[in-house]
Amino acid sequence: MTESRSLPNILITGTPGVGKSTLCQQLAEQTNLKWLEVGKLAKENNCYEEFDEVYRCPVLHEDKILDLMEDQMSEGGKIVDYHGCDFFPERWFDIIFVLRTNNTALFDRLSKRGYSGKKLEDNIECEIFGTIHEEAVDSYKEGSVFELSSNSAEEMEENVEQIVKWIEQWKQNKI
Ligand code: DAT
């Protein structure tokens, strides 16, 4: 599958608030990869099954969103971001980055976003337990999942740099 792609596909995952969108936006600006925002795509195409009353958010219709993304993913050159990763086909991605943030910083970011009560607590807990990292390790090939620390603007910059370098290296290896 990878052989047919001239550009890699990258998954950026992690708990809400760790900086996925910020990182993807910068990557899209600095590379010729295209950012596919799963949340936005789902909203635009009504890929929802129901509304979760506890978390006050709609529940993703996974099959519908996967069908919608398939052709674009097969082309390669996509950066996908989502706060979950076990429902994407493993073959879609060449590398998976899990962003990690300490609980104080994450608490501040999510509170600013308006999260409170159970939604806030559960997301902080998810990050403390490394739930998304575990999900990624369980869902993708050994050696393809990497954790990146995303506590500060400096770390964000370093992460962008590191991924840009990885993309360049991937292209070199392809030649
Ligand atoms: P996500 O897409 O993972 O939900 P985001 O990119 O929307 O996260 O970022 C949430 C907020 O936190 C936003 O106001 C930007 C800020 N932020 C993200 N990453 C950061 C970092 N590494 N250092 C400082 N602030 C960051």
Side-chain angles (χ1 to χ4, degrees), residues 15-23 81 109 113 150-153 156:
T15 310
V18 291
K20 301 181 294 297
S21 310
T22 313
L23 177 74
D81 91 283
R109 291 183 204 163
R113 191 181 269 184
S150 178
N151 295 308
S152 63
M156 173 64 70

Side-chain angles (χ1 to χ4, degrees), residues 12-26 35 37 81-83 99-101 105-106 108-110 112-113 115 149-157 159:
I12 307 290
T13 187
T15 310
V18 291
K20 301 181 294 297
S21 310
T22 313
L23 177 74
C24 288
Q25 186 164 8
Q26 293 190 27
W35 175 23
E37 282 176 87
D81 91 283
Y82 197 60
H83 57 263
L99 301 190
R100 302 299 309 269
T101 300
L106 190 63
D108 289 346
R109 291 183 204 163
L110 292 179
K112 265 191 206 144
R113 191 181 269 184
Y115 284 23
S149 179
S150 178
N151 295 308
S152 63
E154 291 72 34
E155 286 184 344
M156 173 64 70
E157 218 171 284
N159 295 339

Side-chain angles (χ1 to χ4, degrees), residues 88-158:
F88 298 119
E90 188 185 354
R91 66 187 157 79
W92 274 6
F93 298 106
D94 298 289
I95 196 161
I96 296 95
F97 293 103
V98 185
L99 301 190
R100 302 299 309 269
T101 300
N102 70 50
N103 29 339
T104 355
L106 190 63
F107 187 94
D108 289 346
R109 291 183 204 163
L110 292 179
S111 303
K112 265 191 206 144
R113 191 181 269 184
Y115 284 23
S116 62
K118 185 168 167 55
K119 188 169 180 173
L120 177 60
E121 282 163 26
D122 286 359
N123 277 295
I124 299 290
E125 203 167 90
C126 167
E127 184 57 11
I128 291 171
F129 289 139
T131 310
I132 308 282
H133 180 248
E134 197 178 301
E135 187 179 315
V137 167
D138 289 345
S139 309
Y140 296 93
K141 267 197 306 286
E142 207 182 327
S144 62
V145 177
F146 297 89
E147 280 182 290
L148 295 174
S149 179
S150 178
N151 295 308
S152 63
E154 291 72 34
E155 286 184 344
M156 173 64 70
E157 218 171 284
E158 283 167 22

Side-chain angles (χ1 to χ4, degrees), residues 36-51:
L36 288 190
E37 282 176 87
V38 174
K40 193 171 152 195
L41 263 180
K43 208 172 183 177
E44 285 169 358
N45 296 278
N46 197 24
C47 298
Y48 297 120
E49 282 190 301
E50 58 194 279
F51 193 80

Side-chain angles (χ1 to χ4, degrees), residues 12 64 153 165:
I12 307 290
K64 207 168 165 187
K165 268 193 201 141

Side-chain angles (χ1 to χ4, degrees), residues 157-170:
E157 218 171 284
E158 283 167 22
N159 295 339
V160 173
E161 245 172 67
Q162 189 179 329
I163 298 174
V164 169
K165 268 193 201 141
W166 180 87
I167 296 168
E168 287 311 312
Q169 194 60 52
W170 192 95

